[in-house]
Amino acid sequence: MKASRIAAAAAVAGTAVLTLSAPAFAHVSVQPEGTAAKGGYAVVDFKVPNERDNASTTKLEVNFPADHPIASVMPEAIPGWKIDITKSKLAKPLTMHGEKIDEAVTKVTWTSDGKGIEPGYFQKFPLSLGALPENTDQLVFKAVQTYSNKEVVRWIEVPQEGQDEPENPAPVLELSAATDDHHGTASAEKTSEKTGQTAAAADSGDDSDTTARVLGVVGIVVGVAGVAYGVLAGRRRTAA
């Protein structure tokens, strides 16, 4: 009896710990699809969970870092959401593909024209970004989440190394080391090389298959000739 009470108390305590710790993980975050290398291009997903039981998320605003402007930002169309892109003039123009860019995206806003993100669900908001800066290890995107009951949650607190995570942390995109080719040419060359190797192997296989067929036909002809010779030899012996 005593053991069962202790087990029940431990279960309740464990549930309480999980309940108290869960909200710390349920915040707006950003993750790349693959890698986000310095100086390159990447597709990133802003993951937005609904933390409320009685309201839906109907709007998301993502603000881009002013100290590291990004010239090219392309959103993916999402059914049920309207997308607005805000651009601003740059104090210092960027050079992209040999051309000077004097403005960059400063904010992307998704507004629901349907049910939004209902309680118990989350939504990913993909963006194609580039070129990523080469002089920083991370990008901080301050986000604002709006619910159907008009509640607004600002995910704008910048996490500091060596300190506890803030209550409303801003999404942080970690950048990996720069690659030799920012546009995937190296990968394309590797793919082409592999394709060439596969084609060569296929050609070799075809040659081997052709040789086998020829040898097979020759074997059949020789076999038929042998049978015919045996029949003729038998007839000659009978005649004699």
Side-chain angles (χ1 to χ4, degrees), residues 3 41 50 100 148 150 221:
Y41 289 74
N50 191 336
K100 286 189 175 181
S148 56
K150 306 304 180 184
V221 171

Side-chain angles (χ1 to χ4, degrees), residues 81-101:
W81 294 85
K82 175 187 175 184
I83 305 173
D84 294 309
I85 298 178
T86 303
K87 295 183 178 181
S88 299
K89 291 288 184 179
L90 296 175
K92 184 179 179 180
L94 300 173
T95 300
M96 186 174 178
H97 302 307
E99 297 183 4
K100 286 189 175 181
I101 307 297

Side-chain angles (χ1 to χ4, degrees), residues 222-240:
V222 172
V224 171
V227 172
Y229 178 79
V231 171
L232 290 174
R235 289 181 178 178
R236 286 174 182 175
R237 291 194 187 108
T238 303

Side-chain angles (χ1 to χ4, degrees), residues 46 58-62 64 73-86 105 107-113 123-128:
F46 286 89
T58 56
K59 186 177 181 181
L60 173 69
E61 300 170 70
V62 173
F64 283 67
V73 178
M74 297 178 63
E76 179 179 325
I78 303 176
W81 294 85
K82 175 187 175 184
I83 305 173
D84 294 309
I85 298 178
T86 303
V105 173
K107 182 170 68 173
V108 177
T109 304
W110 291 266
T111 305
S112 171
D113 55 13
Q123 175 74 52
K124 288 184 179 180
F125 298 88
L127 288 177
S128 174

Side-chain angles (χ1 to χ4, degrees), residues 151-170:
E151 180 187 1
V152 176
V153 181
R154 302 180 185 278
W155 305 98
I156 60 175
E157 299 178 62
V158 181
Q160 301 296 328
E161 187 175 355
Q163 298 183 12
D164 293 338
E165 185 179 70
E167 184 177 353
N168 294 313

